[in-house]
Amino acid sequence: MVIEPKVRSFICTTAHPDGCRENVKRQIEYTKKKGKTNGPKKVLIIGASTGYGLATRIAATYSCEAATIGVMFEKEPTKMRTATPGFYNTVAFEEEAKKDGYYAKSINGDAFSRKIKEETIDLIKKDFGKVDMVIYSLAAPKRTTEDGTTYSSVLKTTGNDFSNKSLDLKNNTITEATITPATEEEINSTVKVMGGEDWKNWIEALSKAGALENNAITIAYSYIGPELTYPVYYNGTIGTAKKHLHKTSIEINDEFSNEEIKAYVSINKAVVTQASSALPIVPLYIAILYKVMKENEIHENCIEQMNRLFSEKLNGNNPIVDEENRIRLDDYEMRENIQSKVMEDWNKINTENVEEFADLEGYWEDFYNMFGFHFDNIDYSKDVSLI
């Protein structure tokens, strides 16, 4: 079948297996060029198939020479439909890692469920004994808890309506978007899905099973961003969940101090992901940010970020953190000169000059690359097997 991108609003409903493989291979090649660094050797990545989770897995393997187990929830291909990109990414990564002599196994299922936790722990006990790092990079729209209740996350404010400039992804025009406030129930549901409760459940289950090394590190990923995006992110429903994530890191440090487990939240840079594309206002900020950071030669995507996490930020088992015990991988993004230029351009931008002030090409390249499209060395006109 010839596979073409089918984009609806902020999502692409197809994925290209050869393109996804190319995406993985390029991240591996980047990491190989960066060289080796000291780091963890037995890593569990929860949410390991796309974005920061996939980049972490690649960086841990090829930078630290770690064995990895990845957990993800991806749809497999059928005779008529492509798999999700994370499925193809995982197949490609496992094949490349094993070819290069690294252990890599994956579990495909609902990471929120007890079943997948138990299956993962069984694999750890069988093959590793214990893990020395747990990465929590889960992004999901829904979560069903053990009592059968399903919670859904929403992308809303937590105060009043908020209106600002936004990028219409259908035609690359500048419009105005208004985001409405969430109800208390919607806020609580978003915290249930995107907060730290499940992260802590994983650490509790791993500890109880004796599957965590003493002095293990666990890191969950988050984002803060500039004041411009606070109403939709940091002070919105997602930000409320991320604040709960940080609160959970403190709880994990307190409750597992006897095992010397250290929990951190890593504040990462804004990048194009399926989640960020769904947020009004944020894609325009990202497109402007990309242009400014590229002009200053400090732009990073997921793989650059995760390599810097291992090579510069972890510092053995004593990560470099801010006053709130957070790892700051957004340090380049939040530089004063970067943010002041972004805000200057934000105030000037409109539909007529959008390409002058925003890196639309870079934004869309990253978007399509997520799904395995727009790689210049892939022949997209040829038939490929979906399965």
Side-chain angles (χ1 to χ4, degrees), residues 89-352:
N89 290 341
T90 301
V91 170
F93 170 76
E94 285 193 0
E95 289 179 0
E96 292 297 317
K98 289 171 184 176
K99 184 174 68 178
D100 290 333
Y102 297 111
Y103 174 105
K105 291 185 181 180
S106 305
I107 293 174
N108 192 4
D110 181 5
F112 292 126
S113 70
R114 177 180 294 195
K115 175 180 179 295
I116 292 300
K117 288 180 175 68
E118 291 175 348
E119 190 176 329
T120 304
I121 288 169
D122 288 344
L123 181 59
I124 291 170
K125 300 284 283 183
K126 174 178 171 288
D127 289 1
F128 288 177
K130 300 180 179 183
V131 293
D132 56 6
M133 173 174 277
V134 179
I135 298 293
Y136 193 83
S137 182
L138 205 60
K142 294 183 179 182
R143 174 189 175 195
T144 300
T145 52
E146 288 191 23
D147 65 3
T149 304
T150 297
Y151 299 91
S152 298
S153 61
V154 297
L155 308 174
K156 294 186 177 182
T157 69
T158 56
N160 301 318
D161 286 355
F162 175 70
S163 298
N164 210 323
K165 294 178 182 178
S166 191
L167 178 64
D168 187 336
L169 295 174
K170 296 175 185 175
N171 52 25
N172 291 336
T173 58
I174 304 301
T175 61
E176 182 173 277
T178 298
I179 304 168
T180 57
T183 65
E184 197 65 33
E185 181 180 355
E186 287 175 323
I187 295 170
N188 292 335
S189 290
T190 304
V191 171
K192 274 284 188 180
V193 178
M194 303 289 287
E197 185 176 73
D198 184 63
W199 179 26
K200 187 176 176 182
N201 288 347
W202 270 98
I203 300 304
E204 288 171 341
L206 289 161
S207 173
K208 184 177 180 181
L212 275 178
E213 295 280 6
N214 277 4
N215 208 31
I217 287 180
T218 182
I219 302 172
Y221 293 149
S222 187
Y223 180 69
I224 294 177
E227 289 187 20
L228 170 68
T229 63
Y230 274 14
V232 62
Y233 198 97
Y234 189 63
N235 289 333
T237 52
I238 297 296
T240 302
K242 296 302 185 181
K243 289 169 187 172
H244 184 270
L245 197 71
H246 180 252
K247 176 174 172 284
T248 303
S249 71
I250 298 170
E251 293 175 0
I252 292 172
N253 283 322
D254 288 343
E255 294 180 26
F256 297 91
S257 59
N258 289 342
E259 299 170 58
E260 299 181 82
I261 306 302
K262 296 178 181 178
Y264 302 92
V265 170
S266 177
I267 310 298
N268 299 342
K269 170 186 173 289
V271 293
V272 179
T273 64
Q274 293 184 47
S276 67
S277 298
L279 285 162
I281 300 164
V282 172
L284 179 59
Y285 166 75
I286 291 176
I288 297 173
L289 177 72
Y290 270 30
K291 187 172 182 64
V292 173
M293 293 189 73
K294 287 177 181 179
E295 289 172 348
N296 283 268
E297 300 182 345
I298 55 171
H299 173 69
E300 293 177 319
N301 278 328
C302 294
I303 192 62
E304 290 91 352
Q305 289 260 289
M306 294 302 101
N307 271 275
R308 194 154 65 91
L309 172 68
F310 286 108
S311 65
E312 297 181 16
K313 297 293 186 178
L314 288 185
N315 191 33
N317 273 11
N318 296 290
I320 299 168
V321 296
D322 67 7
E323 65 280 358
E324 295 188 47
N325 203 44
R326 302 173 300 192
I327 299 168
R328 299 304 294 261
L329 278 167
D330 65 341
D331 46 359
Y332 294 173
E333 174 185 354
M334 299 310 297
R335 287 179 179 178
E336 193 280 331
N337 67 309
I338 299 297
Q339 285 301 316
S340 61
K341 182 66 166 105
V342 168
M343 283 309 305
E344 179 185 328
D345 292 350
W346 179 276
N347 291 327
K348 294 177 181 176
I349 201 166
N350 56 48
T351 296
E352 286 67 39

Side-chain angles (χ1 to χ4, degrees), residues 8-134:
R8 296 176 186 168
S9 186
F10 56 84
I11 193 71
C12 183
T13 60
T14 54
H16 199 285
D18 291 349
C20 289
R21 179 176 297 279
E22 180 64 19
N23 187 17
V24 169
K25 290 175 75 171
R26 291 189 183 192
Q27 293 186 61
I28 289 172
E29 287 306 309
Y30 173 85
T31 305
K32 285 181 175 180
K33 289 177 182 176
K34 295 298 289 185
K36 299 290 192 290
T37 189
N38 291 327
K41 300 303 179 187
K42 297 174 292 183
V43 182
L44 169 64
I45 301 118
I46 303 156
S49 56
T50 60
Y52 278 119
L54 173 64
T56 304
R57 193 172 193 188
I58 291 170
T61 300
Y62 286 91
S63 177
C64 305
E65 299 188 310
T68 63
I69 292 174
V71 179
M72 72 288 298
F73 199 10
E74 301 292 346
K75 290 182 180 178
E76 298 185 12
T78 67
K79 291 182 179 180
M80 298 303 295
R81 291 183 65 87
T82 71
T84 49
F87 178 87
Y88 293 132
N89 290 341
T90 301
V91 170
F93 170 76
E94 285 193 0
E95 289 179 0
E96 292 297 317
K98 289 171 184 176
K99 184 174 68 178
D100 290 333
Y102 297 111
Y103 174 105
K105 291 185 181 180
S106 305
I107 293 174
N108 192 4
D110 181 5
F112 292 126
S113 70
R114 177 180 294 195
K115 175 180 179 295
I116 292 300
K117 288 180 175 68
E118 291 175 348
E119 190 176 329
T120 304
I121 288 169
D122 288 344
L123 181 59
I124 291 170
K125 300 284 283 183
K126 174 178 171 288
D127 289 1
F128 288 177
K130 300 180 179 183
V131 293
D132 56 6
M133 173 174 277
V134 179

